[in-house]
């Protein structure tokens, strides 16, 4: 671990350690030359490879507001470092843990942002190959106003691990924590490829579909770790939960999202849409983009048919028909909602119960 206050390369002052992935340590550092905070990444012990530096040049080709920009790569005292735009927020996995699952409106917004970032990388000739919720940064809280795909460079190291696993005979038998963590989102042509095979951009399309299935349902489509391998091979996938379409106000958008995800999770890579084709479908979706808020349910009225959320002594009215998900917004539960003008009180829609 690098101690707080340490200066790297006479330029980057370590502020704090912010995370650890399967292959890297991530620090928040201050660039003393440009007077800005950055994400400073370095391989964990035993993970440093010649590809770490080369991967930065690949990642630096991608320039888009839905991608965390790679800023620098260097060696210092025998250690390798990657400097990336710092996103002051949380991962998409962290946000999912708070929500449990996304309602169709929030899910459509996340999908659209995600696709735009991945499309920018594909246009630059860069394939991520390790797309998963923990590699996507978003703003904190219940809003989704910012989304940036990260670790395009480090994903190249994941490719190196896959190549090493192939030399040993089979990716799916690897004991690597990095590979195990990638398996629930890994395309079949990556799982079952042979030495010399190098799958293309279709692997990212599959990963987007697997990620969106989890965001919309709270479940991994094929299960965890080696269970995912067996289930992908046999085509055994989790069913879509009934709550997605049980409410008529949400069913049309939910069905559209399910159709998009289904197209991503086609076993034949050639039959999957491109990221650009998926964006075209997203642009036809009708979903809410207004801000989200959080507050407690304080009252039920009309025999429980409606209620109020109270924030800063102001009441926001909601109908149970605007509630989405498995749990009913009972008194005392914190909910996520959007607010619209109403008389005598603003109206909340949708209303989603948050996990405690």
């Amino acid at each position: 671990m690098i101690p707080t206050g340490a200066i790297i390369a006479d330029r980057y002052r370590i502020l704090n350690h912010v995370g650890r992935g399967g292959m890297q340590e991530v620090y928040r550092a201050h660039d003393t030359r440009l007077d800005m905070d950055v994400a400073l990444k370095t391989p964990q012990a035993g993970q440093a490879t010649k590809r770490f530096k080369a991967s930065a040049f690949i990642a630096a080709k991608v320039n888009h507001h839905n991608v965390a920009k790679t800023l620098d790569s260097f060696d210092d005292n025998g250690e390798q470092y990657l400097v990336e735009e710092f996103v002051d927020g949380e991962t998409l996995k962290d946000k999912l843990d708070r929500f449990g699952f996304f309602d169709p409106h929030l899910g459509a917004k996340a999908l659209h942002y995600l696709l735009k970032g991945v499309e920018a990388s594909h246009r630059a000739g860069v394939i991520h190959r390790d797309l998963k919720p923990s590699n996507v940064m978003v703003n904190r809280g219940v809003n989704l106003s910012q989304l940036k795909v990260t670790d395009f460079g480090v994903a190249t190291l994941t490719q190196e691990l896959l190549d090493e696993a192939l030399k040993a005979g089979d990716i799916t038998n690897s004991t690597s924590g990095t590979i195990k963590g990638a398996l629930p989102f890994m395309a079949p042509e990556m799982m079952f490829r042979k030495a010399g095979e190098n799958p293309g951009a279709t692997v990212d399309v599959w990963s987007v579909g697997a990620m969106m299935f989890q965001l919309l349902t709270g479940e991994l489509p094929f299960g965890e770790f080696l269970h995912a391998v067996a289930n992908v091979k046999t085509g055994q996938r989790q069913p879509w939960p009934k709550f997605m379409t049980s409410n008529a106000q949400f069913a049309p958008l939910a069905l559209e999202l399910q159709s998009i995800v289904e197209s991503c999770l086609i076993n034949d890579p050639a039959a999957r849409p491109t990221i650009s084709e998926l964006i075209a479908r997203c642009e036809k979706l009708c979903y809410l983009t207004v801000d989200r808020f959080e507050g407690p349910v304080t009252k039920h009225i009309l025999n429980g048919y409606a209620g109020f959320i109270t924030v800063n002594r102001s009441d926001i009215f909601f109908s149970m028909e605007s509630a989405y998900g498995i749990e009913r917004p009972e008194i005392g539960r914190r909910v996520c909602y959007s607010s619209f003008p109403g008389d005598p009180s603003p109206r909340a829609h949708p209303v989603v119960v948050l996990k405690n």
Side-chain angles (χ1 to χ4, degrees), residues 237-254:
R237 201 191 74 202
Q238 292 286 339
W240 291 107
K242 292 182 179 179
F243 71 78
M244 286 188 68
T245 53
S246 60
N247 186 325
Q249 293 202 48
F250 300 98
L253 180 56

Side-chain angles (χ1 to χ4, degrees), residues 4 25 27 60-61 71 81 129 139 156 160 174 192 209 212 220 250 278 303 308 318 350:
T4 298
E25 302 287 352
Y27 299 86
K61 296 178 182 179
L71 303 173
Y81 297 92
R129 293 193 174 91
N139 53 286
T156 306
E160 184 176 84
S174 172
F192 308 117
M212 287 309 304
L220 292 166
F250 300 98
L278 290 171
N303 295 320
F308 287 95
F318 71 92

